[in-house]
Amino acid sequence: MEAAVFILSLVDCCALIFLAVYFIITLSDLECDYINARACCSKLNRWVVPELVGQALSTVLMLVSLHWFVFLLNLPVAAWNMYRVWKVPMGNMGVFDPTEIHNRGQLKSHMKESMIKLGFHLLCFFIYLYR
Amino acid sequence: MSSTGFNSQNGPGGQPYANGPFQNQVALQPPGPGYNMTHQPPYNPMQAKGPMPPGPGLYNSGPYQPIPPVSSYQASPGQPMLNRPPMGSPHPMTPPQSTSPCPGPRMPPAQATPAPPVSANSYYQHPPAWQYEALPLMGAPPPMGALPPLATAPLTFVDNHVTSSPSLAPPQASSAGYSAAPPPVYHNAMQPSGPPLPLTSLHRYTQPGSAPPPMNPVAPPHTYQPGMTAPYGHPSTGLPPSMRPTPPPMGNATPPLPFSPKTDGHIATPANGAQVPNSFDHLETGPKMAGPPQQPAPPARHMGLSYPSLPPGYQNTSASPMHHPMQAQTQPYSHAPQSYQQLSAGPAQLSPSLAGLSLQSQTPETLRVVNLLQERNLLPPGPVTPPTPCLPQDLQKINCHPEVFRSTLTSIPQTQSLLNKAKLPLGLLLHPFKDLSQLPVVTSSTIVRCRSCRTYINPFVTFLDQRRWKCNLCYRVNDVPEEFMYNPVSRSYGEPHKRPEVQNATIEFIAPSEYMLRPPQPAVYLFVLDVSHNAVETGYLDVVCQSLLENINALPGDSRTKIGFISFDSTIHFYNLQEGLAQPQMLIVSDIEDIFLPTPDSLLVNLNECKELVQDLLKSLPQMFGKTMETQSALGPALQAAFKLLSPTGGRVSVFQTQLPKLGVGALKSREDPNQRASAKDIPNLSPATDFYKKLALDCSGQQVAVDLFLLSSQYCDLASLACISRYSAGSVYYYPSYQQQHNPAGVECFQKDLKRYLTRKIGLEAVMRIRCTKGLSIHTFHGNFFVRSTDLLSLPNVNPDAGFAVQMSIEENLVDMQSVSFQAALLYTSSKGERRIRVHTMCLPVVNSLSDIFAGADVQAITGLLASMAVDRSVTSSLSDARDAMTNASIDSLTSYRTSVLTIQQPGLLAPACLKLFPLYILALLKQKAFRTGTSTRLDDRVFAMCQLKYQPLAYVMLMIHPALYRVDDLTDEGALNISERAIPQPRVQQLSVEKLSREGAFLMDAGSVIYLWIGRNCNPDFLTQVLGVPDYAAVPQNMNILPELDTAESQRTRAFVGWLREQRPFFPILHVIRDESPLKASFMQNMIEDRTESALSYYEFLLHVQQQVSK
């Protein structure tokens, strides 16, 4: 049981790492002008919900297996993901909005967020691995 | 002799490059240039393919011609003494080259601008600066400059001075001395594979055959030039040549090395090819194709230190004193000298002391301390004029007009932390497609642009010599194409700095085919008309059809112009206007869920070929729906249909909508609660309710379709959602609340006039705009109607002359070594005649490093305009109260910063520099503006429309909407009148917006941008009533009076001339309302009395007290 939970978490975590890297790559493509804002945002918005689900999954798994520390570690990130989706204004096209991504340094803050998540997932990855 | 010198030098690198003239120049360059130099060779050949100016002939033969004579010749006439290089280096050739740039009147600018990315650069730039401009300093700085540097200065340097002292051009001399070391390196770069031929003459001969092909061409032009230029160059007196010459001292020799000849060659070619990019982005873009990094950026600091050593030597020169007077003249501000000096004297170290100097001498007018609590009449009698940047006069003279390009701070802070300290927003306001009375247009097969950042050549670039110019944005050194050497205006050759591109900050190019992705699109106009019951009731169809009929021949376009019509209620109606039909055919599509085009080919028709059918349609359209009972409107599907129809070509969709769309996709619900209109709390629903319109707008933008929205409605229409369709497709929004043909004739007239302007104004199709700024600055937020496609590229399917833009900037890298920064907005568009054109605006601003200078250069109107745009964003993303707080804080913060950091003497009261004295007033005006006011009943659509206008209107018009102008008009006189086309336009004084300024005996005109009020006092002078209004007495002034009768009296003529003049100044038509005490409009007139207290808002004085309280906390 214990092993199964961690293997599942590990796989989930790998997926999230890949996703975070994908976000970073796509955002930096936009930064360097290799793709246009519209394409970038539609690519990224597609993966916002899967990311949320993946994060929620590992959070729930930890809860079920009663690993409180790891659960509490995961909870804020999962909450943030949901909050982010929830707070998207009605008129926007998703978390990443092509008309606003170049404004008010949004691109940079998205980038920063993805970086932090990447770090977090890597941390989780090793926690799961050595547990 | 020179040859020997070369040989010795060549030793290490093996540089054959004997083209004397350049050598020197090269040597003078900072490392960067040297490396660039290498590009030149490959590049030139390419140029040659262009039309051959007189030059080429010479050029070809060049190799055989001047040979040895050149070198000797140059050496002697130019500056015999100076050149004498102790080492026998190549310098003798320099003079002609160096001189050539100098003679031009724009030499000084060149100096001012040259950016010192490289230490070396700043180093020798100063000499010129000193000579030209820095004189005032001279007296003061010597002590500081003199001693330490001398110690550091290399021996050679001293020698140079000695030699040069007799002549006027010491710097050159020094250069000669210095050059000994560096030249070889550069040469090396230039002729990598060539045989190490020392002699120029030899070199030329050999070239045709032996040297590597790409390189060869370069040489000939050089040889050729000296001959040409020499005559010009020499007359310029010894002084100018001195400019560039000083070669980098010792250290410099090394930097160039890294750029090996080979790499350079490689780079050069690709870059060249890359000039023809294949997407619009690329067309306007550049960064990607940037060559290798330009700036080797060698030790910048120590150079700066060594710099001061120069001045002592220069002080001796006669140049300085004579320039002084000129300088004084040029400076608009008394503190000018200070910034001037900073300009000229690049190194940061100098500035503080200079600032001190200037400050003690006199405080500039813009920094005069004003106690706002005491000064009652703040407004200048006439319009508020934008501050003039503290640039040398010759630069300022050619700088971009402030109506086109304006910065919130006319002195750019050196660092972000300095900017943060000033608490003022940094941004640009643009009106790039403004109708201009004078616009130089250049047709040329090669448009000269920086090869790394793609900046267009502009008046603020530096010509290093005749053959190379240094980009003022990225500091790359580019070569001047052969074609550019010929000046079509003066029909002379060899004066690239006199070309129109370099003489005008605003210029238009006719673009060659590289700037097209597809053949230029024709002008295509599609009209989408709401014909539901509600729309027919308003009667707008008559006006639209009538205006179109009248202006159908004035629609901008050529023989390919296309036109089409769609009308919609709960179904979509298309009109088949195919040539050959007896009358227009209406096709109804009732499946609005899945819209399709019934006959894709014949819905958009050629206007010229089918004009009669179109006219038939326009005549019958208003009657066709007279009895319609359809009340719903399916705007969303109609827009989709329009998009489908236009997507193959691109073009303009004009949508006329009169009610909330409730059918099909994009259906909206009423979100306004009328009881909350006057709420003092937050206003909800300022953001769009659906992303449908935004998505559709982006689709449109991708297909070069712009959507202009005309909203004529008396009820809530959710403009917040609908406006998205125009905002992101670069359209415009027009809003006519309570439009009604019968009951609101004034509104009808306004609509008619606006429509006429709309139909006949210029149009730019499939446009993109890129705003570039000097390295170190970056744009982070954009305001206006467009879609930001990539970091600095605005996609504008249509651009119209009435659109304004704003951007916010931050300082990413310190601008420490720079004296000035430049901004360039390039708008690439297709004219209605099917020409691809590029309109380029360039603005240059000084960089300063003290807070007081920043405040002195603050442009209060631009700041207000930018803050308004930022506040609109804030109220949409956050909340209205946040936005209001932010605006209040902006004024508090900046005044606090002024008080704590700039003011040396603390006095009681609310102190502001003179240039910001209107700031609190404008902020208060914004707080009371329709867009941001609370507590006063404001319809949601009105508010949203006001916000749209703040973001989209050019600053000149926005300012009146924020802070109306009040004039007393019952006593107009011809005194001080403007004379425009033989009409005298009286210029009454602008009054403060306070009821205390009104008097019952007078008549007052308030110009609020989109509306003009004429308020008649109860005891108004009877003469005015009879002679201007044509009524016997006050009681006879009608309730709804919108026209001034054309009476044959002097007073009437004056008043009408004045009102007419006010109206002519803007592209929309302000309605005139004559009001008296009982008029229902009196309330809106009084709401514009910004300085007075209202139930819900502070008076100006109260606001000041509030600000003061916060400031002195």
Side-chain angles (χ1 to χ4, degrees), chain A residues 30-39 89-94 97-108, chain B residues 281 285 288 671 685 687-691 694-695 698-699 728 770 780-782 787-792 812 873 877:
Chain A
L30 178 65
E31 217 169 18
C32 305
D33 222 350
Y34 294 134
I35 52 175
N36 75 42
R38 186 94 202 260
M90 274 186 292
N92 277 16
M93 295 164 64
D97 188 286
T99 57
E100 300 194 351
I101 197 154
H102 283 299
N103 271 5
R104 297 184 296 276
Q106 277 201 10
L107 187 53
K108 272 184 193 156
Chain B
D281 299 43
T285 204
K288 266 182 262 169
R671 297 190 288 167
N685 300 326
S687 56
T690 164
D691 64 357
K694 189 188 258 187
K695 274 186 179 151
L698 294 186
D699 290 337
Y728 301 111
R770 197 180 281 278
H780 61 79
T781 303
F782 301 82
F787 171 48
V788 188
R789 198 158 56 193
S790 68
T791 40
D792 57 349
E812 305 243 302
D873 271 6
T877 55

Side-chain angles (χ1 to χ4, degrees), chain B residues 235 315 331-332 367 378 475 548 652 721 749 768 809 874 898 974 1050 1092:
Chain B
Q315 285 167 10
Q331 283 316 130
L367 276 182
L378 291 170
Y475 303 114
L548 253 174
R652 183 176 81 186
S721 303
E749 189 193 3
V768 288
M809 293 183 300
R874 180 67 82 88
Y898 174 74
D974 280 341
D1092 293 331

Side-chain angles (χ1 to χ4, degrees), chain B residues 834-1069:
Chain B
E835 273 175 328
R836 205 75 176 133
R837 286 167 168 248
I838 310 165
R839 189 173 293 188
V840 179
H841 304 284
T842 316
M843 177 173 66
C844 181
L845 294 177
V847 174
V848 298
N849 70 347
S850 75
L851 267 182
S852 57
D853 286 338
I854 297 175
F855 277 103
D859 181 343
V860 68
Q861 288 197 321
I863 291 173
T864 311
L866 189 66
L867 277 178
S869 290
M870 291 160 67
V872 171
D873 271 6
R874 180 67 82 88
S875 33
V876 173
T877 55
S878 177
S879 70
L880 194 68
S881 55
D882 260 20
R884 289 170 56 90
D885 289 348
M887 285 189 286
T888 315
N889 289 338
S891 62
I892 294 172
D893 290 346
S894 58
L895 292 183
T896 309
S897 160
Y898 174 74
R899 188 188 183 97
T900 52
S901 312
V902 179
L903 275 187
T904 41
I905 312 149
Q906 296 296 335
Q907 310 161 350
L910 180 58
L911 307 177
C915 59
L916 282 182
K917 66 181 180 183
L918 293 175
F919 194 35
L921 179 61
Y922 283 157
I923 292 294
L924 181 67
L926 271 177
L927 294 176
K928 293 187 175 185
Q929 221 264 349
K930 232 184 230 172
F932 303 111
R933 70 188 178 195
T934 53
T936 312
S937 179
T938 312
R939 301 192 323 159
L940 192 51
D941 279 349
D942 286 352
R943 188 187 292 277
V944 172
F945 181 62
M947 290 184 171
C948 291
Q949 295 221 303
L950 289 180
K951 287 198 88 170
Y952 164 78
Q953 292 286 353
L955 184 65
Y957 316 135
V958 162
M959 277 326 290
L960 282 176
M961 296 176 190
I962 295 173
H963 186 271
L966 181 70
Y967 308 93
R968 180 167 186 161
V969 289
D970 60 319
D971 52 0
L972 290 181
T973 59
D974 280 341
E975 197 177 315
L978 280 183
N979 214 330
I980 296 173
S981 57
E982 313 206 344
R983 271 191 316 159
I985 317 277
Q987 296 292 303
R989 204 191 138 83
V990 178
Q991 311 275 341
Q992 300 287 127
L993 286 171
S994 167
V995 174
E996 69 179 315
K997 297 288 175 190
L998 300 180
S999 83
R1000 295 188 159 216
E1001 286 75 39
F1004 291 83
L1005 188 109
M1006 177 190 281
D1007 177 7
S1010 51
V1011 57
I1012 293 178
Y1013 300 101
L1014 179 56
W1015 182 85
I1016 311 294
R1018 187 173 289 277
N1019 304 329
C1020 181
N1021 183 354
D1023 285 352
F1024 183 79
L1025 293 174
T1026 52
Q1027 312 223 334
V1028 175
L1029 299 178
V1031 293
D1033 56 21
Y1034 178 75
V1037 176
Q1039 280 284 349
N1040 283 319
M1041 186 175 184
N1042 301 108
I1043 304 170
L1044 292 178
E1046 295 194 18
L1047 303 178
D1048 197 18
T1049 58
E1051 288 85 352
S1052 170
Q1053 272 165 6
R1054 264 185 223 131
T1055 317
R1056 280 183 291 119
F1058 181 58
V1059 173
W1061 174 73
L1062 289 177
R1063 281 177 169 163
E1064 276 164 24
Q1065 288 177 320
R1066 63 204 73 168
F1068 41 85
F1069 182 84

Side-chain angles (χ1 to χ4, degrees), chain B residues 178 284 346 471 536 832 867 976 1045 1107:
Chain B
Y178 282 125
E284 233 316 290
C471 174
V536 174
S832 52
L867 277 178
V1107 172

